[in-house]
Amino acid sequence: MDQLESAKKKLKTALDEHERACGDIIHEQDEMESKLLERLKLLDEKKLKCTAENGNMNASDNDLIEINAAGKIIAAKRGTLCQLKGMKNLTKGTRFEAIFSGRWDKKLLRDGSGRIFLDVNGDCFQAIVDYLNELAISSEDKRPKTPTIDDECKPILAQYMMLFGLTAIPQIPQLKHLEKRRRQRISTMRKMRRIGMLATEAPEVNPKSPEDDRFAK
């Protein structure tokens, strides 16, 4: 009987310590989440201010963008060109996204027809746009391979991918994902509390009497 009570107390103590440790971890994660959300809020405010001063406030993902890539005319939707927005420091999007986001429309060089002019290799730039078009219609588990081109232009394409920030792009966590992780942590804590309550409320087991051993034999 004393051993059972001692085991129950040890179990409750262990569960309490584990719950406190989980609470500390959740508190730290909540603080990190709050800081991240605050940084994202400041980023949005800076983008709006920048767009008002230098760009097009009415820019839409459905806008058709025409690009003069050193004489090669390429057209694509703004949303396709701007779909890759995550950088490791979470403070700004890729250079490629920034160019076509609309935030800098007033500053971009244009040709005589009003198209955005870029002094780049047209075939390499077309390969990047083709890759983004394929990426836009692909599923999460079947991403397209990185852009390809003739061997003689591969070094140029690789340089462009790096220049535009299109290599090794981590995506910024969306708010719904953050909220999902938060709910999962809360659910884990509730389960741990229930386990602790069951352990402390477990029914006592009466030890066997000598008569029970005698009848068992």
Side-chain angles (χ1 to χ4, degrees), residues 1 15 57 66 72 76-77 97 106 114 118 137 139-140 144 146-147 150 161 166 184 188 193 197 216:
M1 188 68 178
L15 288 172
M57 291 291 292
E66 290 190 340
K72 187 180 184 69
K77 284 188 175 182
E97 183 268 341
K106 297 177 183 177
L118 298 177
I137 61 175
S139 61
E140 290 287 340
T146 55
D150 295 338
M161 292 291 287
L166 298 177
Q184 289 174 341
T188 300
R193 291 193 183 100
M197 292 173 64

Side-chain angles (χ1 to χ4, degrees), residues 16 19 28 46-47 84 89 93 120 145 152 187 200 204:
D16 290 341
E19 184 173 336
E28 292 178 2
K46 289 181 179 179
K47 284 183 177 181
L84 296 178
N89 57 13
V120 296
K145 296 181 179 179
E152 60 181 14
S187 176
T200 56
E204 297 181 357

